[in-house]
Structure formats: C-alpha cells, structure tokens
C-alpha cells in the first residue's frame, strides 16, 4: 500500500484535532459531518498527493469515532483505527498532554508503522446491530446483579414491614429485567434467522458440547461471523487464553502463562463453558480427570479445554459440518 501522507486525528466528543505528518500542518474542526467535509477540503488544498495516497489514523474511542469512521468508509478513503493500548505502549515516556500533541503523536506512530498498517474494514451493519444488542444485554445483566445484591444487603431496616416493601421493589425490577433480556435474545435470534450464513454457523457451534447459545452468539459477533479472524490461535490471543513463554537468556526461565490483555467478557464465557463441559459425560470430562489424576494443574487443564472449544468452533465453521464426538464410537 502506497502512503505519501498520514493524517493523525485526535477524537473527542465535540472536536477533532488533525496533524498532517509530512506537511507539518495542524488544524481543528467539529466532530460532525460538516467538520469531516472541511477536513477533506483542507487536505485537497494543501497536499500535492492524491487522496488515495493518504491514510487517516485515529484511536478507537467508541461512539465518538464511529461517525467519522463511517463517513470515511462510505466516501472510499483509507483509514486505520488504532488500538489505544498499542499506541500508548509504543510512545514510551511522554510528558504532558494536549489534543494537538496527541494528534501529532498519532501521526508519528502511523508514519513509522506505515508498512505494517492495513486499512480498517468496518463490520457489517448486521454485526454492528448485534453488538449493540449484546452491549444492552450486558448493561441489563449488571443492573439485575445490582438488584439481586441489594436484596441480600437488606439488613438495616428500622420499621416493621420495611424489608418486605423494599424487597418486593427489587424483585419486580429483577422480573422486568428478565423479560427484557428474553426480548433481546429473541431479537438476536430473529436477526440470525434473516441471514442464512449466521443461522448456519450458529447451529454448527451449538453442535459442540460445551458451547451454548450465549457463547455461540458472542463468538459469531466478535469474529464478524468468522471473517475477522482467519486463525483460531489469533482469536485465542484476543480473548486471553493463549499461553506464552517467558524466557530471557539462560538465567530467566519463567513459567508459561496467559497475558492479562484480553477480552474479559469472552474469556469469562469460555471459562464457564469449559467448567460446564467437564461436568458432562464425554471426552472433556475424561481428559480433565486423567490430567488431574496425573497431578497436572486444574486451571491449566481448564485453559486447554477453553482452547479446544475455540479451535473446534473454527473447525466446524470452516468445514461446514456439525461436530462429531468420535470418543462415543470408541470401543
């Protein structure tokens, strides 16, 4: 990919700060469609390069950067959404912070790594819709947990009947949230039913013992229906279940362990799935019991089962046929 200019963009709620790396040009616009048009006009005015040779780079700031990314994507311009952690750790020691400085640092980072960067491809509108539904579901679950904990904490009641009154309010809220959660799950499955590939992959994932409805939905959404990750190992790294060695020279030999950088929600779901799998009769339970009898670490064994679930999920989707537990046919 030929890149002659990098436009570093610092995104905030109301404004965007721009820094053109080679042209040493800084300017500012509003975070709105009018501001984006002003950005393109300024670039065309001050640059000799074609707009096809420009790469716009900015951090992933959620809904603040979403409108900008959709605008650039629809207009056909190349852009890269940078992981904030990658950017922060690559900059080293930085003193002070301003929006202008951040835009310059983003441009500098992207220029130095321009040979490694590939333009971002936005997820499909369907995947975006499913992500919004899952985000809403997670918020409702947090509220439900709060109400459940509130019932347990009702000890300091000073008048007779006060406990029952407050407890009934909490229970009504919990019941209402349960209804909304059911509606969200039905809406997600309804979206799956509209698209044959989504429904097919969903059913293939459910054929794997240990993978339930919620985990299958999350795997399809986070992988953009298994198009975002072409390797199960990369997805395992993303969710934080891939072990890495820690070695340095001949004196430092740390144990192989997991990296804390992970999608914690997905990792939690895989952990629940692995613990459920070892409770069922089959290969997972036999494998877990055999390793434990050999004195192997239980959590290490559970992590291996988590990886097995991920690799088998990718395998059944790639193969296009349901998973078959061959251990059931063993003599």
């Amino acid at each position: 990919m030929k890149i002659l200019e990098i436009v570093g963009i610092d995104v905030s709620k109301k404004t965007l700060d721009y820094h053109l790396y080679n042209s040493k040009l800084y300017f500012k616009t509003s975070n709105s469609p009018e501001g984006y048009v002003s950005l393109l006009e300024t670039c065309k005015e001050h640059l000799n390069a074609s707009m096809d040779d420009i790469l716009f780079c900015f951090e992933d700031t959620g809904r603040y950067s979403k409108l900008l990314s959709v605008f650039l994507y629809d207009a056909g311009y190349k852009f890269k959404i940078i992981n904030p952690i990658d950017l922060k750790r690559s900059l080293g020691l930085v003193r002070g912070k301003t929006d202008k400085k951040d835009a310059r640092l983003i441009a500098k980072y992207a220029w130095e790594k321009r040979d490694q960067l590939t333009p971002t491809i936005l997820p499909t509108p369907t995947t975006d819709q499913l992500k919004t539904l899952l985000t809403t579901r997670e918020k409702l679950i947090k509220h439900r947990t709060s109400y459940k904990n509130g019932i347990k904490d009702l000890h300091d009641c000073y008048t007779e009947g006060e406990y029952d009154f407050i407890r009934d309010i909490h229970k009504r809220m919990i019941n209402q949230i349960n209804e909304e959660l059911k509606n969200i799950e039905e809406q997600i499955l309804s979206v799956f039913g509209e698209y044959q590939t989504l429904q097919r992959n969903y059913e293939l994932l459910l054929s794997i013992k240990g993978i339930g409805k919620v985990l299958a939905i999350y795997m399809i959404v986070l992988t953009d229906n298994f198009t975002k990750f072409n390797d199960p190992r990369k997805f395992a790294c993303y969710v934080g279940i891939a072990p890495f060695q820690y070695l340095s020279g001949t004196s430092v030999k740390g144990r192989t362990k997991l990296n804390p950088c992970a999608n914690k929600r997905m990792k939690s779901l895989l952990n629940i799935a692995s613990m459920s799998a070892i409770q069922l009769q089959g290969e997972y339970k036999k494998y877990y019991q055999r390793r434990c009898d050999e004195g192997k670490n239980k959590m290490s064994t559970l992590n291996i089962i988590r990886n097995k679930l991920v690799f088998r999920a990718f395998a059944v989707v790639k193969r296009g046929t349901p998973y078959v537990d061959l251990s059931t046919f063993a003599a």
Side-chain angles (χ1 to χ4, degrees):
M1 181 177 65
K2 181 183 178 182
I3 298 177
L4 300 181
E5 182 60 278
I6 294 288
V7 181
I9 307 175
D10 181 71
V11 180
S12 59
K13 182 178 181 180
K14 295 183 177 180
T15 61
L16 299 175
D17 292 77
Y18 307 95
H19 181 87
L20 280 64
Y21 185 76
N22 289 321
S23 303
K24 308 300 181 185
L25 176 66
Y26 167 80
F27 61 99
K28 193 170 188 174
T29 70
S30 62
N31 190 355
S32 64
E34 294 77 11
Y36 309 153
V37 173
S38 177
L39 160 66
L40 299 180
E41 291 175 349
T42 303
C43 290
K44 292 177 181 178
E45 179 182 352
H46 291 85
L47 296 179
N48 296 323
S50 167
M51 293 297 290
D52 294 334
D53 299 328
I54 300 175
L55 181 66
F56 299 90
C57 297
F58 50 93
E59 292 181 274
D60 185 1
T61 55
R63 61 190 181 94
Y64 295 154
S65 60
K66 182 177 180 179
L67 187 60
L68 172 62
S69 61
V70 172
F71 176 86
L72 293 174
Y73 187 78
D74 291 341
Y77 297 113
K78 296 191 289 288
F79 65 95
K80 179 65 179 179
I81 301 179
I82 301 172
N83 188 315
I85 297 178
D86 288 343
L87 177 63
K88 182 177 180 180
R89 294 190 173 184
S90 68
L91 296 179
L93 180 62
V94 177
R95 293 182 174 87
K97 175 179 173 59
T98 64
D99 293 341
K100 180 178 180 179
K101 183 176 182 179
D102 288 345
R104 178 174 58 82
L105 291 175
I106 291 172
K108 180 176 181 291
Y109 166 87
W111 180 258
E112 291 174 349
K113 294 185 176 293
R114 62 189 184 279
D115 294 332
Q116 305 172 26
L117 298 179
T118 56
T120 297
I121 299 177
L122 293 181
T124 62
T126 303
T127 301
D128 208 33
Q129 177 189 2
L130 291 171
K131 283 183 178 180
T132 303
L133 289 171
L134 287 180
T135 300
T136 305
R137 180 181 181 275
E138 290 180 6
K139 290 179 180 179
L140 289 175
I141 289 176
K142 288 181 180 179
H143 288 306
R144 184 179 64 179
T145 302
S146 176
Y147 285 117
K148 287 182 177 180
N149 293 337
I151 293 177
K152 296 179 182 178
D153 295 336
L154 287 176
H155 302 302
D156 301 327
C157 298
Y158 300 102
T159 60
E160 185 177 355
E162 182 181 1
Y163 172 85
D164 295 334
F165 175 75
I166 300 176
R167 181 196 60 192
D168 290 343
I169 292 176
H170 281 65
K171 286 187 174 181
R172 286 198 298 271
M173 294 302 297
I174 291 172
N175 292 334
Q176 182 62 38
I177 291 175
N178 286 334
E179 285 296 320
E180 298 301 336
L181 287 172
K182 182 180 178 181
N183 292 335
I184 288 178
E185 291 174 1
E186 289 177 352
Q187 179 64 23
I188 291 174
L189 295 179
S190 174
V191 174
F192 277 14
E194 295 176 3
Y195 298 92
Q196 184 176 358
T197 56
L198 289 174
Q199 184 65 29
R200 178 179 63 86
N201 289 342
Y202 175 70
E203 293 173 355
L204 289 173
L205 292 178
L206 292 181
S207 69
I208 303 173
K209 187 179 295 186
I211 295 184
K213 294 181 179 180
V214 176
L215 178 56
I217 291 171
Y218 269 85
M219 292 191 76
I220 289 175
V221 173
L222 292 180
T223 60
D224 201 1
N225 200 21
F226 290 87
T227 60
K228 188 176 179 180
F229 296 89
N230 57 8
D231 183 356
R233 168 73 182 181
K234 292 181 179 179
F235 184 71
C237 291
Y238 169 70
V239 300
I241 61 173
F244 292 91
Q245 288 185 320
Y246 284 78
L247 304 174
S248 179
T250 58
S251 58
V252 179
K253 293 184 179 180
R255 63 185 181 87
T256 300
K257 56 184 179 181
L258 306 179
N259 192 288
C261 294
N263 184 313
K264 300 297 175 62
R265 180 58 179 164
M266 190 65 195
K267 185 176 181 180
S268 174
L269 290 172
L270 283 169
N271 187 57
I272 295 172
S274 63
M275 294 180 69
S276 299
I278 62 176
Q279 304 299 323
L280 304 173
Q281 291 296 332
E283 57 179 326
Y284 294 127
K285 184 174 183 179
K286 294 177 182 178
Y287 179 78
Y288 180 79
Q289 291 177 340
R290 186 177 76 250
R291 280 183 60 91
C292 290
D293 292 341
E294 295 172 354
K296 301 294 179 62
N297 184 276
K298 293 183 179 179
M299 288 306 299
S300 173
T301 305
L302 281 175
N303 190 63
I304 293 174
I305 295 175
R306 290 198 293 248
N307 277 274
K308 284 179 178 290
L309 291 173
V310 168
F311 275 75
R312 288 174 181 178
F314 275 77
V316 296
V317 170
K318 182 178 180 180
R319 191 172 59 239
T321 57
Y323 178 73
V324 178
D325 186 358
L326 296 178
S327 65
T328 59
F329 301 97

